[in-house]
Amino acid sequence: MAVLLLAEVNDGELALDATAKAVSGAKALGDVTVLAVGAKAAAAAAAAAKIDGVAKVLCAEDAVYGHRLAEPVAALIASLAGDFSHIVAPATTDAKNILPRVAALLDVMILTDVTAVVDADTFERPVYAGNAIQTVKSSDATKVITFRTATFDAAGEGGSAAVENIGAAENPGVSEWVEDKLAESDRPELTSAGIVVSGGRGVGSEENFAIIEKLADKLGAAVGASRAAVDSGFAPNDWQVGQTGKVVAPELYIAVGISGAIQHLAGMKDSKIIVAINKDEEAPIFQVADFGLVADLFEAVPELTDKL
């Protein structure tokens, strides 16, 4: 069997962590061909060729792919689909936008956030905010899958796959780029950071979130937030961790002023070490924490930052 894996490409550069983790999931399904797409994709394709387990890389460089529009990329993948039994990608924002369209073009189901491969037709994925694991067996001729990267280790480097340049597919022309508004940050990307410091409703205000950011900066960590904090306007949407936000699994997750609603736990419970700081000793977050501190966050967090 053959697998086509859509690489995560940002501004011409390969998002190595997400792509390599998806390769780990895809290797169990057959020979992996990576597809690098973008206005500039040559460097990403060359980087993907070095991932262990990649048999071949297809590079599609064209201006039509320059602004991350889902429809042109979906059309390209659909045009290539006949040679592959599985079409997969890491469960990133881009892939979640593109692969459902691919599945619709192929008239098959999509399997999202797959966490384990049982066999070529059978997969596991979390449901009910991660409280149950659903085992799904697909009879579709082509399986379209996004892998939840938090549950896979990144494939190593050392590969030497051949890179083949391919032409663009016909542009459906149903969408057009208007403008990009990007949030600039020197901090690590939330979904791939080794340490994450998250604040919740207990932080109290957008101004108070500065103490979360100071602790994160001292640790070289990414900053996260609960949905309650985001909905209250304390933090931007792209910091949200949880069922309706981003799923993270860092080496260290520090939850500050977060009660631990089930929807938030679904986004961070696979973290290696969980530290919780909350003044409510009955907060559900303490049930999953490896280390818990019952304290006023406005005293504990600045003191912790100073000692670090």
Side-chain angles (χ1 to χ4, degrees), residues 108-134:
V108 299
M109 70 183 294
I110 181 167
L111 293 162
T112 57
D113 284 307
V114 165
T115 55
V117 175
V118 178
D119 58 40
D121 301 321
T122 313
F123 309 91
E124 293 181 357
R125 59 186 299 272
V127 292
Y128 303 125
N131 282 287
I133 301 298
Q134 181 184 60

Side-chain angles (χ1 to χ4, degrees), residues 127-152:
V127 292
Y128 303 125
N131 282 287
I133 301 298
Q134 181 184 60
T135 302
V136 183
K137 186 168 185 177
S138 171
S139 59
D140 287 326
T142 305
K143 279 75 173 174
V144 180
I145 299 165
T146 61
F147 286 115
R148 179 173 285 190
T149 54
T151 60
F152 293 93

